[in-house]
Amino acid sequence: MKQTLKHLRRVGAITAAAAAAGLLLLSGPAPAQQPGKIKIGLMLPYTGTFAALGTSITNAFKLAIEENGGKLGGREIEYFTVDDESDPAKAPENANKLIKRDQVDVLVGTVHSGVALAMAKVARDTNTLLVIPNAGADEITGPLCAANVFRTSFSNSQMGIAMGKVMAEQKKKTAVTLTWKYAAGDESVGGFKETFEAGGGKVIKELSLPFPQVEFQSYLTEIAALKPDVVYVFFAGGGAVKFVKDYAAAGLNKTIPLVGAGFLTDGTLEAQGDTAQGLLTTLHYGDGLDNPKNKAFRAAFAKAYKVEPDVYAVQGYDAAQLLIVGMNAVKGDTTKRAELVKAMEAAKLDSPRGPLALNKGHNPIHNIYLRKVEGKENKVVGIAVKDLTDPPRGCKL
Ligand code: PHB
């Protein structure tokens, strides 16, 4: 009995204390919904052929955050970083390190389509918010689209679609394609073939080599023998530097026009030097785009990092801009996921590439420019496709 009384008294005391605390809560300032920092997981390549791309994305992402007072939705940021090595086999483990071990609120990455496909799966399975600042795997914003997965870059087929159209308009009749054999290259070439052949051209040979190999000699020999009207390629980063140099060293730049998805000459011109002069490429960005945002962005990036920005920097910057819109809408409260997603879906970004909106699958709708290398610049010489948007391709959102 005594025990029971004591017990009851204790319960009473606890209840009274809880009531007092409740009063305090009611009368005091409203507590922050989610105190502490927002954790951002950057999963990008910092080694290998795409290392410079990962660094460029990271730098520009951080620049946009700095310009926003170092915060997202009013909360400070804590970064967690993983080098994904552009290795799809390591991707699930790397993504889980950030999600399960570091408990990040948002995952940002990556460059390589194969790695991104694995990241998107982990993001879907764990319902983690994912923003992709490069990898173009068509499926991610097509049949595999998800409410929690966004992309601020492009889809792989977009650049090929644009260049195939331009080459058909230039009355080229035959083409050979060459790429690394994986989603990015296959889809880029697929887009090229679709519009080039619809416009009356013929892809007479599709060549490929495993990623990230750079032994191009036998392919160059074959191209020289096939003598197509044009060669369309997808290469990027270190591999793009070597390919353009090798193409010129083989003398092919004098006889068979080389064109490509704009990654061939973006962030690479310093290293390619004279060998890249005159190359035509298609991309959703060009260095000299004449809009105020691009000028301000280029000046701020060059000041902060002492190098000129490239398309990867633009995409990283826009990934942060998209998150700023979403997090502002929920005042940094990441538990308000539906509201956050809605705000991101409706975002109208002032991108260095021009106005940027997303389609139903959360993929950019943007102009694809025709560019020509002049000196150290990818000079915009025209719009290959205006406001290109992907077909829904089975996205059910
Ligand atoms: C990709 O794997 O999707 C990819 C990689 C590098 C690029 C573009 C696309 O520059």
Side-chain angles (χ1 to χ4, degrees), residues 5 29 58 68 76 84 126 143 163 177 214 226 236 282 302 304 324 350 375:
L5 267 178
T58 304
N68 195 47
E76 305 272 347
D84 69 32
T126 56
M163 188 52 95
T177 61
V214 289
L226 288 164
T282 40
I324 289 168
D350 186 12

Side-chain angles (χ1 to χ4, degrees), residues 44-100:
L44 288 158
Y46 298 109
T47 53
T49 202
F50 291 159
L53 289 57
T55 301
S56 190
I57 289 167
T58 304
N59 287 344
F61 185 95
K62 290 184 173 174
L63 175 66
I65 297 289
E66 281 312 306
E67 289 176 352
N68 195 47
K71 293 183 177 178
L72 270 177
R75 291 170 65 192
E76 305 272 347
I77 309 279
E78 185 171 7
Y79 290 107
F80 295 81
T81 304
V82 163
D83 176 8
D84 69 32
E85 303 169 51
S86 296
D87 185 348
K90 295 182 183 161
E93 193 189 328
N94 282 331
N96 275 315
K97 263 187 214 158
L98 291 166
I99 293 169
K100 303 232 163 92

Side-chain angles (χ1 to χ4, degrees), residues 8-57:
L8 281 177
R9 254 186 255 126
R10 255 187 45 212
V11 171
I14 291 168
T15 313
L23 274 178
L24 260 182
L25 271 182
L26 283 177
S27 57
Q33 285 282 4
Q34 281 179 306
K37 298 182 175 177
I38 293 194
K39 296 182 175 184
I40 304 283
L42 297 172
M43 179 165 154
L44 288 158
Y46 298 109
T47 53
T49 202
F50 291 159
L53 289 57
T55 301
S56 190
I57 289 167

Side-chain angles (χ1 to χ4, degrees), residues 121-167:
K121 180 170 182 347
V122 177
R124 282 195 306 276
D125 291 349
T126 56
N127 198 25
T128 306
L129 187 61
L130 168 65
V131 182
I132 301 170
N134 184 71
D138 287 354
E139 282 185 307
I140 293 178
T141 50
L144 299 178
C145 70
N148 57 315
V149 177
F150 287 80
R151 180 154 58 197
T152 57
S153 48
F154 56 89
S155 51
N156 290 320
S157 51
Q158 288 182 334
M159 309 316 151
I161 285 170
M163 188 52 95
K165 175 176 170 275
V166 172
M167 287 301 108

Side-chain angles (χ1 to χ4, degrees), residues 50 53 111-114 134-137 154 156 182 184 234-237 263 312:
F50 291 159
L53 289 57
V111 168
H112 185 286
S113 275
N134 184 71
F154 56 89
N156 290 320
Y182 79 110
F234 167 85
F235 291 110
F263 314 109
Y312 309 104

